[in-house]
Structure formats: C-alpha cells, structure tokens
Amino acid sequence: MTINFVTLALGRIGDGKSSFLNAYLQKDEFEISSKPESKKYITSSASNIVNGEERIGIDTQGLEDIETCESEHIQQMTQFLLSWEKGVNVIAIVINGQYTILSTGTKNLIKYFYKFFNQPDFFNHVCVVFTRWYNEVMTEEDKAAVKKEYQSTILNNIIREFSGCENTNLQIPFFFINSKQWKEDGDTQNQLNAFHSFVKSRGKLSTLKIEE
C-alpha cells in the first residue's frame, strides 16, 4: 500500500495556491489563473506518485471575505472536508511573495480551519508558503525581513487570539517557491524538498473531528 501525505492550501484568489500545489505534486493537476472571475468556489483534490509516495493536494476556495461570501461555497468546502477520510498532514498558508500583506480573508480562513479541526496541535501543522518568489530579484535580506514580520508579529498575534494559545510562541516554518519555474529553479527544488520533509514529519489531523 502506498503511503500518502496530504497538504491543504489556503489563501487569496490569485496568490498561487494551485500553481504551488502543482509544483509540489510535480504534475499540472489544478487549473491556474490569476483572474478571480475565472475561479469557481470549489474545494478539490488531486494527487501524484512521487518517488513511491502519494502526494495529495487539497485546493480550497480563494475566499476574499469569508463573512460575506455565499453560504453555498462554505457549505461545499465543509462537506468536502467532512467526507475526506485521509486526514491532513499540513495546512499551507499561501501568500503572493510580490504582495506579502496577509489579507483579512486569509486571516478569517485560518480561524475558520482552526475551529473546523478543533485539535490542540493544529498550529504545529501550519506553515507559510510564499509563491512568486524570484531569487534573481529577491535577496536573502528580503527573505529574512518577511519571515521576521510574519513570525514575530502577524502569525503569533493571530494564534494568541485563540483560547489556550495566549502565551504561545510557535516557530512556523516558511518556504519560498518560484512555482512558475519550479522545474528549472534549483532553490525552489530545495524548498520543495524541505517542504515535503516537513509534511512527512507531521502526523495526520483527522477530518473526522471537524466541526460543522
């Protein structure tokens, strides 16, 4: 039996969730478009066998505002996850490296999935993936600065909003991906390998415990 590893990607429309998952799967399975109007609000999955292991990606809706979007989109995502029996190893917060602002919609999705999974070690399964990270123009100083900003300010402030996490100071992993040229970009290949090592190091969050 082939062992499987599951990554769930969340983030804004057009920030590169689908292209990142395609790079991770090493196969073009998800439709890619930066045009919000071309996106259907559908959560879906795809998989590929890489080096004898099944890599599975779950591509969630790029909901700009989870508070005001149509309830049918949230219901579809919820029902998809409730019927998902393979669990989830990692939740990847995908952010456009050219525009590193964490949107309100993405913050709300993080809170939404935290409540969904309802498991105390949820944030041990969370990482941040910056897409469109072009090393020919982005320096190591850029990378250090964005990591510091997200780790010390943005992420920990969100995490501390949850009951029981007020004094938490987690070190969330960061990965920097040029998903458009992942086959040719050596740095991206190294980052994808490091990402997969992180995925393999996490157990499964059970989707059977998700709250409706």
Side-chain angles (χ1 to χ4, degrees):
M1 181 177 179
T2 303
I3 189 169
N4 63 70
F5 299 98
V6 181
T7 295
L8 182 152
L10 65 88
R12 292 188 309 176
I13 294 172
D15 269 9
K17 297 186 303 297
S18 300
S19 58
F20 160 65
L21 288 174
N22 285 342
Y24 176 59
L25 297 180
Q26 298 187 19
K27 188 176 182 182
D28 292 335
E29 290 285 352
F30 295 103
E31 176 190 355
I32 298 173
S33 176
S34 60
K35 298 179 180 179
E37 63 271 16
S38 71
K39 292 288 185 181
K40 294 183 178 179
Y41 289 115
I42 297 295
T43 294
S44 61
S45 67
S47 66
N48 190 33
I49 304 297
V50 181
N51 297 327
E53 299 171 337
E54 184 181 20
R55 298 184 182 186
I56 302 174
I58 299 176
D59 195 0
T60 61
Q61 297 99 318
L63 305 179
E64 289 296 330
D65 187 348
I66 202 169
E67 300 295 338
T68 60
C69 67
E70 295 182 23
S71 60
E72 64 185 90
H73 305 317
I74 297 297
Q75 290 173 5
Q76 188 274 328
M77 181 167 62
T78 303
Q79 291 305 313
F80 177 95
L81 291 170
L82 286 171
S83 64
W84 186 257
E85 299 180 350
K86 296 181 179 180
V88 173
N89 294 88
V90 163
I91 294 92
I93 303 169
V94 178
I95 298 170
N96 182 348
Q98 302 299 305
Y99 183 74
T100 59
I101 302 296
L102 189 67
S103 71
T104 299
T106 299
K107 291 177 184 178
N108 286 335
L109 278 171
I110 296 170
K111 298 173 184 178
Y112 191 65
F113 281 111
Y114 178 83
K115 293 177 181 178
F116 268 3
F117 283 97
N118 193 30
Q119 296 179 51
D121 64 339
F122 172 82
F123 285 107
N124 290 322
H125 296 259
V126 172
C127 68
V128 177
V129 175
F130 290 98
T131 59
R132 299 178 185 149
W133 193 269
Y134 309 124
N135 286 299
E136 61 270 22
V137 294
M138 311 291 274
T139 67
E140 287 298 314
E141 288 76 15
D142 293 328
K143 187 181 295 185
V146 76
K147 286 172 66 174
K148 181 178 180 180
E149 178 186 13
Y150 266 79
Q151 186 67 68
S152 64
T153 306
I154 298 174
L155 289 179
N156 277 322
N157 284 347
I158 294 173
I159 293 170
R160 289 169 186 152
E161 291 181 18
F162 298 104
S163 177
C165 299
E166 293 85 357
N167 298 314
T168 299
N169 188 26
L170 291 176
Q171 296 299 307
I172 302 292
F174 294 84
F175 303 95
F176 298 82
I177 305 295
N178 179 352
S179 45
K180 289 185 177 181
Q181 297 177 315
W182 64 268
K183 293 179 182 178
E184 300 83 15
D185 190 305
D187 289 328
T188 291
Q189 286 287 339
N190 291 336
Q191 288 287 288
L192 288 170
N193 289 335
F195 174 80
H196 186 56
S197 294
F198 174 66
V199 175
K200 292 176 68 172
S201 73
R202 306 296 93 176
K204 290 284 183 70
L205 287 168
S206 174
T207 48
L208 300 179
K209 296 180 180 179
I210 290 178
E211 294 183 352
E212 293 191 69

